[in-house]
Amino acid sequence: LNGTRKIVIIGCSTAGTMAAIQARKTDRNAEIWIISREKYPEYSLCGLPYVVSGIIKDFKSLIVHPIDFYEKTLRVNLMLNTEALSINTSEKSVLVKDLITGEEKKLKYDSLVLATGAKPASLPIKGIYKQGVFSIRTISDVESLLLHLKNLSSKLIVIVGAGLIGMEMAESLSIKGYEVLIVEILQEILPAMLDPDMASIVHKKAEEKGIKILTGTSLEEIIGDEKVEAVMIKGKKIPTETVIVAARVNPEVELAKKAGISIGEMGGIKVNEYLQTSIENIYAAGDCIETFDLISKKSFPIQLATTAARQGIIAGANAAGDLKKYPGSTGVATTKLFGLEIATAGITSSLATKLGIKSTSIRTTALTKAHYYPEAKPITTKLIADIKSKRIIGAQFIGEEGASLRANLVALAIRANIELSELELLETCYAPPVSPLWDPLSIAAQALSKKLSSMIE
Ligand SMILES: Cc1cc2nc3c(=O)[nH]c(=O)nc-3n(C[C@H](O)[C@H](O)[C@H](O)COP(=O)(O)OP(=O)(O)OC[C@H]3O[C@@H](n4cnc5c(N)ncnc54)[C@H](O)[C@@H]3O)c2cc1C
């Protein structure tokens, strides 16, 4: 490298900001640019549903670092309201456009980080472009939704997709007094996190709270002139003025594709263990890439802030001259819905079957504190093991408390590649008001171990 290293990062969300922080730590003198088409620097997308519910009072609270942090502490050139239009890989430059003035300019780079994230997929539903149809990805998406909600005559909101975002929005809107109908094409809610036997616990709770859920059903049409007036579901016309599409997000790869960077079979940017793309000096991180999954040993978009942040660190370090490896993901994820903490690590039984992994599982319910102690809460655990290797490949927890900390423990077990027998006897801390003598995770591991040995004999 001759002279000062020039690093350009496209995207200023979780992955982009972490990449900038790590690039600065790795190379104190580099010139760093971050390009973002947003008007704000990184903010928590994960917090958007809680602004809708009113638990978080404004969008500004979601901003992670003030602009000063980028400019003064990190000493990076933050270019907000700016779109990266194209990448010239032979010239090593990015053409950017100021979205306010329309001015275009070229930025030269020595290394480039693509942290372009993902965007809601446009579903093939008739009428999807009508006024009153929203997706939930950015602050402006939610600002438009909130504005729309101010002038409604129909209180019914239809949500397409019962994944994490669809369910979190359903709860937030019901807290605000709206009636919510969720339409999910698959057989059960939260399909990426939970198997149907576990998801049914949350499904039941949501219905008790007044949410209507139609699974195995798709939205046939959105009806209205310019604005949404009704939806067609199973041939029935249901009047509504609002449809929220929370079905699927696709990796944002147009820029990479145009630049000749390889895209994987699952639609994300292909990277190696250094998060380097098919073109030298171009790295990628976060929702735009296909992440290596530690269990299936396959790469697919994982699309969680958890992975985006860790990958941002690796990509930023390597763009600044380091050689760090991304170890792979354990897919650990959590949410809280209708008073239930829900957490998962690894893969579901359904995904294991799809991937051709022969697995077995056990479901147990145990208490989070000593059985005699007031306010001990039941927690349901599903533990999944690979029959051949006898190792844990997934876990799901649902309870009023303690789900996510146990999923984190399973993520560690997966990362450490420990056997089920080791998990069974794992020493977990115990005191009656805090946790039981045998942790619910140990109890599930013991039951699964017994099931596994009976299968082998
Ligand atoms: C409502 C909601 C709730 C969520 N809840 C959780 C949660 O609880 N836990 C969790 O782990 N994850 C959650 N997620 C997922 C998480 O937010 C994402 O995984 C994370 O934001 C990914 O970060 P990223 O930096 O890779 O991409 P993104 O956050 O998508 O950021 C990419 C940025 O790049 C910009 N960009 C793209 N192309 C260009 C271009 N050409 N020029 C300029 N800028 C460009 C985009 O505008 C965007 O600002 C949630 C997501 C949503 C929407």
Side-chain angles (χ1 to χ4, degrees):
L1 184 79
N2 295 322
T4 316
R5 188 192 309 271
K6 292 187 172 64
I7 302 170
V8 174
I9 298 166
I10 305 175
C12 183
S13 185
T14 316
T17 300
M18 288 315 297
I21 293 173
Q22 198 63 30
R24 173 53 73 226
K25 281 188 188 164
T26 310
D27 184 339
R28 301 242 145 231
N29 302 315
E31 285 175 29
I32 304 172
W33 282 264
I34 312 186
I35 317 299
S36 172
R37 53 160 99 101
E38 292 264 349
K39 57 182 173 193
Y40 302 109
E42 182 194 357
Y43 55 85
S44 168
L45 275 57
C46 317
L48 291 170
Y50 309 103
V51 177
V52 174
S53 67
I55 293 171
I56 305 301
K57 64 176 190 327
D58 56 24
F59 292 110
K60 291 249 155 71
S61 311
L62 303 182
I63 295 176
V64 183
H65 308 282
I67 287 182
D68 254 17
F69 169 79
Y70 291 86
E71 292 176 346
K72 302 221 167 89
T73 313
L74 283 187
R75 292 180 288 114
V76 304
N77 306 294
L78 176 63
M79 297 174 81
L80 297 176
N81 297 302
T82 305
E83 172 122 29
L85 298 178
S86 60
I87 303 163
N88 183 329
T89 55
S90 44
E91 197 184 70
K92 290 195 185 163
S93 69
V94 181
L95 181 67
V96 301
K97 180 179 178 180
D98 184 316
L99 297 173
I100 296 168
T101 63
E103 194 192 320
E104 291 186 10
K105 70 172 174 189
K106 257 186 203 173
L107 291 176
K108 289 268 199 178
Y109 66 81
D110 295 302
S111 39
L112 179 67
V113 177
L114 299 173
T116 48
K119 57 172 186 230
S122 67
L123 301 184
I125 299 172
K126 199 171 162 205
I128 195 132
Y129 297 108
K130 291 194 198 307
Q131 281 175 40
V133 180
F134 299 88
S135 49
I136 306 295
R137 184 75 193 177
T138 62
I139 286 184
S140 25
D141 291 340
V142 180
E143 276 173 341
S144 322
L145 171 70
L146 294 181
L147 199 66
H148 167 87
L149 293 181
K150 279 189 181 153
N151 308 305
L152 282 189
S153 43
S154 154
K155 275 274 178 194
L156 178 73
I157 296 179
V158 175
I159 299 181
V160 183
L164 195 87
I165 297 167
M167 292 304 294
E168 288 175 355
M169 285 302 295
E171 181 177 34
S172 292
L173 289 162
S174 82
I175 289 174
K176 293 301 274 184
Y178 295 97
E179 283 170 47
V180 179
L181 168 65
I182 305 182
V183 187
E184 167 59 54
I185 198 162
L186 297 179
Q187 293 311 312
E188 210 17 300
I189 64 167
L190 296 169
M193 287 182 85
L194 302 175
D195 282 310
D197 57 336
M198 291 293 279
S200 62
I201 300 172
V202 188
H203 187 140
K204 196 165 154 253
K205 190 82 173 183
E207 286 184 333
E208 278 167 22
K209 299 279 178 182
I211 310 284
K212 293 194 183 74
I213 304 174
L214 292 173
T215 51
T217 308
S218 54
L219 193 67
E220 285 144 19
E221 189 183 341
I222 300 170
I223 301 164
D225 289 334
E226 278 175 19
K227 295 180 180 174
V228 178
E229 286 163 24
V231 291
M232 284 298 277
I233 298 170
K234 289 185 175 166
K236 220 176 117 194
K237 191 171 166 184
I238 300 170
T240 181
E241 290 161 62
T242 320
V243 175
I244 294 176
V245 181
R248 202 160 26 94
V249 292
N250 290 332
E252 172 92 56
V253 297
E254 285 317 305
L255 204 57
K257 219 188 223 172
K258 271 198 308 187
I261 293 167
S262 301
I263 308 298
E265 274 169 35
M266 309 292 286
I269 299 171
K270 255 185 165 169
V271 290
N272 64 15
E273 57 195 334
Y274 301 101
L275 302 190
Q276 187 180 37
T277 67
S278 59
I279 295 185
E280 214 196 334
N281 294 349
I282 303 186
Y283 298 84
D287 280 13
C288 62
I289 71 166
E290 291 187 355
T291 295
F292 180 70
D293 172 64
L294 275 176
I295 294 150
S296 62
K297 313 280 185 235
K298 292 195 164 49
S299 293
F300 44 83
I302 289 195
Q303 301 177 324
L304 290 166
T306 324
T307 36
R310 273 82 183 157
Q311 291 170 351
I313 288 182
I314 308 289
N318 294 347
D322 206 338
L323 204 60
K324 279 196 192 325
K325 281 188 190 177
Y326 178 70
S329 173
T330 55
V332 69
T334 187
T335 188
K336 192 167 184 181
L337 293 168
F338 315 106
L340 294 175
E341 216 184 275
I342 301 150
T344 183
I347 60 174
T348 57
S349 296
S350 321
L351 184 57
T353 308
K354 264 193 214 150
L355 293 169
I357 301 171
K358 286 208 169 75
S359 69
T360 185
S361 67
I362 198 96
R363 228 177 91 180
T364 53
T365 299
L367 292 172
T368 55
K369 302 180 198 311
H371 70 92
Y372 51 84
Y373 202 84
E375 292 182 13
K377 310 279 188 209
I379 182 164
T380 303
T381 302
K382 177 168 182 170
L383 214 52
I384 308 154
D386 181 330
I387 296 178
K388 213 165 123 202
S389 70
K390 297 197 206 55
R391 285 177 208 276
I392 297 289
I393 56 170
Q396 296 155 37
F397 301 90
I398 302 176
E400 283 175 53
E401 60 181 17
S404 64
L405 66 93
R406 291 183 172 89
N408 288 341
L409 208 55
V410 172
L412 184 65
I414 292 172
R415 174 66 69 79
N417 203 20
I418 69 170
E419 292 214 13
L420 188 57
S421 55
E422 293 173 271
L423 198 59
E424 254 181 89
L425 293 180
L426 186 76
E427 287 177 16
T428 52
C429 53
Y430 160 56
V434 187
S435 54
L437 177 61
W438 288 100
D439 190 86
L441 175 59
S442 315
I443 293 172
Q446 287 157 10
L448 183 56
S449 189
K450 202 167 154 199
K451 185 173 177 190
L452 261 175
S453 46
S454 73
M455 288 173 81
I456 290 153
E457 275 152 21

